Amino acid sequence: MRKPFRIAPLIALALAVVIVTAGSSIADRADRLTLVSPSTCPAGGCAAGQRLNYEVEYSVTPDFDSGANTQVCVYATSGWADFSNGWLSDEGLLSKKNYTLGETDSVCTNNAGAYDWFAGAYAELDSDDMSDRLEFALNITASASSSGEIIVKVFELNDSASWEETSQFQSDTISPVAALDDDVFVADTAADCGGYAPCFINSGDDLAEGIGTGLRDAVLAQNPGDDIVILGNYPIKGQTVLIDKAVTISGMNDGAITTYSGAACNNAMLLVESGATVQDLAISDGDCDSPSRTLIEVDSSDDVTIEHNTLSGGNFAIDVKNNSAAVTVAFNQIENNNYPAVYNRGSANKVDVYANNILNNGSTYQINCNSHGTADHNFWGEGAPASGSALNCDVVNGKQLGAAIELSEGDVGVEAIRQQVTSLETGLFNDNIFVKHDGGSDYTLIIVNHGQGSDANIPFNNDGAGYLRACSNFYDVFLPEESLPTNLELSIQYDLNSQCTSTIESTEYCGSSQSEKYPLWWYDPLNGLTEGWERTTQNMTCDMEKNRVTVIIDNSGHPNLATDLASVPLVAGLPGQAGITLSQMTIRFDGDENIINWTTSTETNVIGFHVLRSDNSDGPYARVSPRIDSYGNPSVGGIYNYTDNDIVFRRTYYYKLEVVNEEGETIETHGPVSVLTSTATPTVTLTRTPTITRTPYPTRTSTPYYYRSPTSYYRPATATPRSGPTQVRTYGPTPTPNRTSQTKPTYDPTMGEGGFPAEDPAGTEIAQGYPLPERGADSDRTTTPQTGSSGQDGSGTGPDGTGSGELSGRPRVQWIYLAAGAASGLVLLAATSFALSKTLTA
């Protein structure tokens, strides 16, 4: 007989298992104190002043039910914790019961022992509440230098209404603690701190004033005048981080400030309230785009400096509130912000904005000074004037920078510096430029580095003509308004490459005793004293041992200190290869004079032309014209003519074109072309292979740059010819044909550096814009596009696109038809002669 199945023991066993399991779960969950954020300290220890977020969970057995029956007390090692910005939960996370902050019946203070009590909370829990959980946050005190721990005690009322301790928890010891220094560091996580200490990292909060960020912890902990260094890509949170001490916040190791993904985007990222400096940082608002976050707000009664930063992608880059302090904005890359990069809302404070790249900000004006600020010496974009970029600011067109400033290493800020000039020589930008003075007081000088290597590096590239082979970077040098120096000794290294060095040290340049040939060039965009890039007229010396060319700038020549050093671009370099591309050269006899016409498509370092004449093709040739000034440039040539009326009839004349460089030297000749003056219809002969005489020029060694001859008449400014009457350079009484020009070469990324054909490994030919009227009687000249061009030897492509060896502009001769016609004429002439002889005989 089967035994009956007894279910009662099984049920009892199952209940026992459930009870044990539940008890085990409660035990595992309760009685713990956990450091939640940051989960671990940096290798050097948590910094004194670091914020800590904790969670405590405890079991309870509430017996007393006539009021508060549970008291939680939070303690710390004596003198170790700061609860001034701390908090403790006011609701149990498990019980959902309200807690009253503080203590009841002096429970916490009566049981502190060797610890400092700094926070507590009490509540009335029900008998069914078996456990509860609270969170709290505090900071390590800024004066801490040794380890410490947190203690949490839980007290409950017993049946006799007496408080007794039911639980006590001790945190892991925070050890070591990194004591504060004049320099502290901020990073996102402990790993990001690396070996830098003391290092503040983000904790768990996102509260007003930026509480919960390592940056705010660092500001609270540091003293005015101390430094806070941002390491790597550092995210802040949705609240504005308050900078309310005169500290310097800078970046290192590609230091950047951005924002957490998904954080609130309505608040500014930083708010400077007390004379701080923000430098060497990339600041952007991360994923915020609707709206974007203002990057830096300024509302300070003390002066604020914002320099050497990259500020991008925000609402306003810098929003200056109504305060009485001066705000200096210098050496920054400020780009792609929705509204003006700098917006001054104050009615008494002043903003001073200089030596920045300010690009693509706002819709119309890029900054607004509110009639309280200056904005000279900035780059606003290619060809953009200051007056069209800065609203309600003191600006002078001509004091804007003519090219972008080079980005600093790491692409944070730009390569510009505010340098104190003393009697001791100081090397800048990796010892590529040196400054000092010889007598007088020390003073401040601003130097901007534009770099070199492409046409984008050339200040006022569209405002010069000819090539200049750079043997240094391009620099802008200017004095602050208040500086009154007596002299400036400025030296630039010319050893960009070995070919630069060898050429500059030849007898034609630094090896010569003629200092006016030394290779230091300057440009005057403000007063127009130069026609493009010209050699300085101040005292220059060459130091071939140190590979430097030096100019002493005073008030005796140009550039001078009194007026020119308001903004002066400088470069050490060499003239590029000189010459022209001759598109066409023709001659015609016009009854009692010969008219010689020629067209160029390019002119490089050319000052003018002479017309040469001879009675024989092989010469000798002599000049019959005065110097005919050149007005073309490397991208746009011109049309010229000369009328020779000192002729006799029934004679064949031969003409050549002599090309003269800026030193007055003959660099090449073209021709001859010939004409017979005795025919009713002049015979025109064009020799296909021109005779070329070339004065040797240095081999191109670096990327060529442009400069304009002092006697040139046109200054390029845009790539589009102006409208208006077309002018032609004319000598003699005969009217001349219209001037034409050649269009700018097309960019091709498959070709050499910069999209243009590479000349050699050291550089590329770079084309310019079209010439525009500048000054003088020829100021109305304009250009029209030129079709077709040829080389200086007369070869090339004609206007019809063929590969004719003739100089372009002449029709191709169909020789077979000429031969057939000649043969037919001879046959006809023979027949006529025979018939005539028969007639005469008869």
Side-chain angles (χ1 to χ4, degrees), residues 361-479:
N361 302 280
S363 57
T364 304
Y365 291 93
Q366 298 205 60
I367 71 172
N368 187 339
C369 298
N370 194 25
S371 300
H372 291 87
T374 63
D376 283 327
H377 311 295
N378 297 289
F379 180 67
W380 306 99
E382 184 176 355
S387 60
S389 304
L391 179 64
N392 299 322
C393 299
D394 290 336
V395 292
V396 176
N397 287 333
K399 287 189 178 182
Q400 74 270 21
L401 301 180
I405 312 171
E406 282 283 276
L407 294 180
S408 296
E409 186 176 353
D411 293 344
V412 175
V414 296
E415 288 276 337
I417 193 168
R418 183 189 304 106
Q419 180 61 40
Q420 188 78 355
V421 180
T422 71
S423 59
L424 299 176
E425 184 176 76
T426 303
L428 307 169
F429 302 117
N430 297 319
D431 287 343
N432 282 312
I433 184 171
F434 299 82
V435 294
K436 61 176 288 190
H437 70 71
D438 185 15
S441 302
D442 297 347
Y443 58 91
T444 300
L445 186 70
I446 311 298
I447 303 177
V448 167
N449 179 17
H450 297 289
Q452 59 79 38
S454 75
D455 54 354
N457 301 109
I458 310 166
F460 303 98
N461 175 26
N462 286 338
D463 218 6
Y467 290 125
L468 187 64
R469 289 179 289 147
C471 291
S472 75
N473 291 328
F474 285 85
Y475 299 98
D476 249 276
V477 181
F478 60 91
L479 292 166

Side-chain angles (χ1 to χ4, degrees), residues 56 58 70-74 99 102 108 119-122 134 152-154:
V56 60
Y58 46 91
T70 304
Q71 171 76 59
V72 179
C73 303
V74 183
Y99 277 74
C108 295
Y122 54 93
L134 294 178
V152 176
K153 297 181 179 181
V154 180

